[in-house]
Each structure stands twice: as C-alpha cells, then as structure tokens.
Amino acid sequence: MTAPDLLRDHPAILVFLHLPRTGGTTLHEALSRHHAPDEICPMRLNRLELLPAEKLARYRFFSGHYRFEHLALTPTPRVTVTVLREPRARVVSLWQHWRRHWPSAAGKNEGVRLAQELGLRDFLRSDHLEVLEAFDNALARQLAGDCRARAPGLYTRWAWNDRAPLAEETIVETACRNLSSFDLVGFTGALDSFHAAVCERMGWSGPARLPRVNGHDQEVPGLYAVPDEPIPPETQTELDRVTRLDRRVWDYALARAGEEIVWTP
C-alpha cells in the first residue's frame, strides 16, 4: 500500500513549519485550498502554545512561523514539512520585506522602522531585540526550537528568565537533528516540485505550477514593491555573521538531499 493510500485510510494532519521568506506564503495558500476554512489553524505566529489542546484537535492543517517544539502540540498522525532557502538570500529578502510596509501597516514595530531607515549593513549591526530575534541566525534557532537571541551572538532558551547561554554548536546540532525528523524538506528554488511531493504524500491533486505571492517586487495593500539592491563587500561580511549557524544547517540539508530537489529524511 502506498503512502497516499495509507493516508486515505488514516487521515493525517499536515503541519508546515514556515521559515520566513522561503516561499512559505505561496505554499500556505496552495495547501490551504485542500482544507475547509474551519480546518485551518488560525495561529500563524510562534505562539501555538496559547491554544488549548481541545481546540488544536479540531484542525487538519497547521501552517505558521512555529518554533520546532510547537510541532509536538499538533494532533497525530501528522505529516511535517518545511522549506529552506539559502540563508544570506533569505536574510536579504526579509529585510526587503520589512522595508515594504506602509507606515499605517507597520504600526509601532521598531524593527520595521529601523529597516526602513537603515541600509542593510547598519540594520544587521543593530542590537534591537526585534532585529536580533528575526535576523541573527534565526533559521537555525527556529529549527532548533526553544531558543531566542538576546544580544548579538548571545542565545538562550526561550523563557525570559532563563539567561544561561546556549552554545552555538548545540544550536546547530539540534537544528540538524530536528530537520532530519521532518517527513519532507523542500528548497525555495524548487517550490513547485515540493508542493507536488506534499500533495502526493497527502493523496491530493494539485497544479503543476504555483502562482507566486508575497514577493518583494509585488505591491499589495499594506506593502510597497521594492527593488533589488547591490550588496557591497562590507555588507556581505555582516550577512556572513548573522547566517554563520544558518549556513551550517543549510549545508547539512544540501548534503543529505544529494541530487534530490525534495529531501525525504
């Protein structure tokens, strides 16, 4: 019996851990079409623990910027998936995304204000907590789970009163181990193939090509379109610094995937 046959007999929950600026909004919208609105968990941020277990049990599709430990809160059986992007390109895209916000949409978000006022190099040098949490090796930390940035290069457990530093090696090793536990891992450059693989795993049909949404060059209500900008060498140094752990996780995933454009750990 094939995997889709098994899932038809024992319907699985689909859980998508969305790493920001990896094509996740495009994928979220495509996968949402396979569910009724009341089957989709409305929590898209990393606060899934705020929902009681009896409420979580109602949903069939979870998709959000969750920390890894949140996956264990979702019902079983579950299929877990995520998408990776080259870390330096992901950071540049996230900075561009923050710069896109209309003033009325940005509200009092200090990190967004800094992104709109500063060039990328100076922005990445900021020690503002909103910037650190979103940009300082955030890919590795989100996959490792239970990890926050408190100062440049200083990482601890998520609980605010836990100030014991986490070793960078621990973060990388945990992130790689956790990544290996996913059912499917995709790459932004092959999003169509990844969507097809998820649909096959779930026993669904889907379009051959996905309409791209939420690109930095697309203007939508609340967001401007912004152009690409050249990255000077001094900025590249900062990009390398804030992705030094992320790139180790990325390299691990590429090595494990080999020639495959969708990695099935």
Side-chain angles (χ1 to χ4, degrees):
M1 187 176 290
T2 65
D5 290 334
L6 287 170
L7 289 176
R8 276 192 289 270
D9 292 340
H10 306 283
I13 305 298
L14 180 61
V15 184
F16 171 43
L17 189 150
H18 179 184
L19 295 157
R21 307 310 297 169
T22 59
T25 301
T26 293
L27 191 62
H28 169 84
E29 293 198 1
L31 296 174
S32 293
R33 296 189 183 101
H34 298 281
H35 299 87
D38 61 358
E39 293 181 323
I40 301 172
C41 179
M43 178 60 75
R44 302 289 308 284
L45 303 177
N46 65 345
R47 303 304 303 275
L48 203 59
E49 76 279 2
L50 296 180
L51 300 181
E54 60 271 19
K55 190 169 185 179
L56 293 173
R58 304 173 190 170
Y59 302 122
R60 310 294 302 169
F61 179 41
F62 294 81
S63 169
H65 297 312
Y66 309 136
R67 301 191 304 275
F68 180 81
E69 69 268 24
H70 290 146
L71 303 188
L73 301 177
T74 61
T76 57
R78 69 175 78 95
V79 172
T80 56
V81 304
T82 194
V83 177
L84 303 179
R85 182 177 185 176
E86 195 285 319
R88 285 165 292 207
R90 194 193 72 83
V91 163
V92 172
S93 180
L94 185 57
W95 171 71
Q96 291 172 323
H97 180 66
W98 282 24
R99 288 168 70 84
R100 296 172 65 204
H101 286 74
W102 296 357
S104 59
K108 297 181 180 179
N109 188 311
E110 183 70 9
V112 169
R113 183 187 67 78
L114 289 172
Q116 295 176 347
E117 292 180 356
L118 301 175
L120 180 56
R121 182 194 65 174
D122 292 335
F123 175 77
L124 294 178
R125 288 176 174 174
S126 171
D127 61 359
H128 192 281
L129 284 177
E130 288 181 0
V131 176
L132 291 172
E133 183 54 33
F135 287 83
D136 190 342
N137 291 283
L139 180 148
R141 290 188 292 105
Q142 187 176 347
L143 288 169
D146 192 18
C147 179
R148 73 162 77 232
R150 294 184 186 267
L154 175 61
Y155 316 111
T156 71
R157 297 295 181 192
W158 189 259
W160 191 249
N161 59 357
D162 189 343
R163 301 285 174 145
L166 273 174
E168 293 187 354
E169 196 65 31
T170 298
I171 296 171
V172 171
E173 290 178 355
T174 305
C176 290
R177 182 173 63 252
N178 290 345
L179 191 60
S180 296
S181 72
F182 280 83
D183 293 287
L184 292 169
V185 177
F187 302 93
T188 299
L191 207 60
D192 293 323
S193 297
F194 182 68
H195 175 251
V198 174
C199 287
E200 180 181 9
R201 185 67 179 266
M202 300 300 293
W204 303 333
S205 61
R209 292 187 61 82
L210 299 179
R212 299 300 191 263
V213 297
N214 203 31
H216 70 271
D217 56 350
Q218 297 174 317
E219 184 167 350
V220 296
L223 298 172
Y224 300 107
V226 297
D228 288 319
E229 299 180 25
I231 306 297
E234 60 270 23
T235 301
Q236 189 65 52
T237 299
E238 293 303 311
L239 280 172
D240 290 344
R241 178 181 62 82
V242 300
T243 61
R244 64 190 183 280
L245 309 185
D246 295 347
R247 285 181 285 120
R248 291 176 62 186
V249 178
W250 167 257
D251 289 344
Y252 171 83
L254 290 183
R256 293 294 303 273
E259 299 298 321
E260 301 297 325
I261 56 176
V262 176
W263 174 28
T264 306

